[in-house]
Amino acid sequence: MAHELPALPYDFAALEPHISADIMRLHHDKHHATYVDNLNKALEKHADLQSKSPEDLVRDLQSVPEDIRTAVRNNGGGHVNHSMFWQIMAPKAGGEPTGAIADAIKNSFGGFEDFKKLFNDGGTKQFGSGWVWLVGGGAGGKLEVVSTPNQDNPLTNGQHPIMGNDVWEHAYYLQYQNRRAEYLQAWWNVVNWEEVNKRFAALSVK
Ligand code: MN
């Protein structure tokens, strides 16, 4: 069974004015679709890997044959990262975190504003393309903010991604041009805390 592009769970324009419909259409229909196509191409000659979930592939990259490891890293990572990304955003969302994740953020960072600053800094300082993440599984059960280059996912580093923001230029350039920090700031208006809580609850290691 080939990997498939998941449908966007809302309209292209649903995240406006924070993320434009043009960005969403290109980002989902072209960028994410290409990661899925290229992942399927990479796996064509490796039937034994085709039943593995994309998360399992990126979690255990070392077991992926060397001839397709980079392709799986980039495109499997791209597929996992974007599948999460559409879900952790929603229209009429944002605001203060709710539920268990709100408590965990407070315990780990002091408060939401401190966490936001750390997360935005991580996204701003990621040189070139990449992602900024909130991950679980740190020492003493603390959450951490990390950034990764390209389409690398924290799963490959033994970390547990709870939420992440895409800081590739394709995620913001049509609307924000070079103003990445402004995009990072606006993004908090579309964070779907309900979904972030679901992902946090599903972590076996917090
Ligand atoms: Mn992207």
Side-chain angles (χ1 to χ4, degrees), residues 107-161:
N107 291 338
S108 299
F109 305 106
F112 180 46
E113 289 305 318
D114 300 290
F115 161 59
K116 242 166 66 169
K117 187 177 181 326
L118 209 60
F119 193 93
N120 287 354
D121 281 353
T124 307
K125 288 174 186 159
Q126 171 58 36
F127 184 75
S129 298
W131 290 73
V132 56
W133 305 90
L134 174 66
V135 301
K142 295 272 191 192
L143 306 182
E144 293 172 291
V145 170
V146 298
S147 49
T148 57
N150 306 313
Q151 293 296 351
D152 287 0
N153 185 287
L155 287 170
T156 308
N157 306 325
Q159 295 169 318
H160 306 265

Side-chain angles (χ1 to χ4, degrees), residues 55 80-81 83-85 87-88 101 133-134 153-155 160-164 192-206:
E55 287 82 3
V80 172
N81 297 348
S83 297
M84 169 210 71
F85 192 54
Q87 296 290 334
I88 61 150
I101 196 69
W133 305 90
L134 174 66
N153 185 287
L155 287 170
H160 306 265
I162 299 166
M163 63 190 282
N192 178 356
W193 291 112
E194 195 183 325
E195 181 63 26
V196 173
N197 266 299
K198 277 187 203 159
R199 292 179 57 88
F200 181 53
L203 285 192
S204 52
V205 181
K206 291 182 179 163

Side-chain angles (χ1 to χ4, degrees), residues 1-204:
M1 172 79 184
H3 296 284
E4 286 179 11
L5 178 67
L8 197 65
Y10 34 77
D11 293 341
F12 293 121
L15 304 184
E16 287 191 345
H18 311 293
I19 305 180
S20 73
D22 285 348
I23 287 179
M24 292 301 290
R25 188 177 292 108
L26 267 174
H27 202 173
H28 178 270
D29 287 9
K30 303 295 180 190
H31 290 277
H32 190 175
T34 302
Y35 297 125
V36 174
D37 287 348
N38 287 338
L39 175 63
N40 286 328
K41 274 184 208 145
L43 296 175
E44 265 169 14
K45 289 182 193 152
H46 295 276
D48 53 315
L49 293 178
Q50 288 168 5
S51 59
K52 282 187 111 178
S53 72
E55 287 82 3
D56 283 346
L57 287 170
V58 302
R59 189 181 285 116
D60 193 14
L61 265 186
Q62 288 313 309
S63 74
V64 172
E66 213 177 334
D67 63 319
I68 61 164
R69 196 176 297 152
T70 299
V72 169
R73 178 180 196 152
N74 292 338
N75 297 289
H79 182 28
V80 172
N81 297 348
H82 290 85
S83 297
M84 169 210 71
F85 192 54
W86 315 131
Q87 296 290 334
I88 61 150
M89 300 190 292
K92 300 187 181 71
E96 297 273 324
T98 55
I101 196 69
D103 297 333
I105 285 171
K106 198 168 179 219
N107 291 338
S108 299
F109 305 106
F112 180 46
E113 289 305 318
D114 300 290
F115 161 59
K116 242 166 66 169
K117 187 177 181 326
L118 209 60
F119 193 93
N120 287 354
D121 281 353
T124 307
K125 288 174 186 159
Q126 171 58 36
F127 184 75
S129 298
W131 290 73
V132 56
W133 305 90
L134 174 66
V135 301
K142 295 272 191 192
L143 306 182
E144 293 172 291
V145 170
V146 298
S147 49
T148 57
N150 306 313
Q151 293 296 351
D152 287 0
N153 185 287
L155 287 170
T156 308
N157 306 325
Q159 295 169 318
H160 306 265
I162 299 166
M163 63 190 282
N165 194 1
D166 188 343
V167 299
W168 282 58
E169 287 185 346
H170 67 227
Y172 62 89
Y173 216 84
L174 282 179
Q175 186 174 2
Y176 294 92
Q177 288 83 43
N178 60 320
R179 303 185 305 278
R180 185 190 285 188
E182 199 180 306
Y183 158 70
L184 281 158
Q185 198 63 250
W187 183 76
W188 295 102
N189 292 299
V190 297
V191 173
N192 178 356
W193 291 112
E194 195 183 325
E195 181 63 26
V196 173
N197 266 299
K198 277 187 203 159
R199 292 179 57 88
F200 181 53
L203 285 192
S204 52

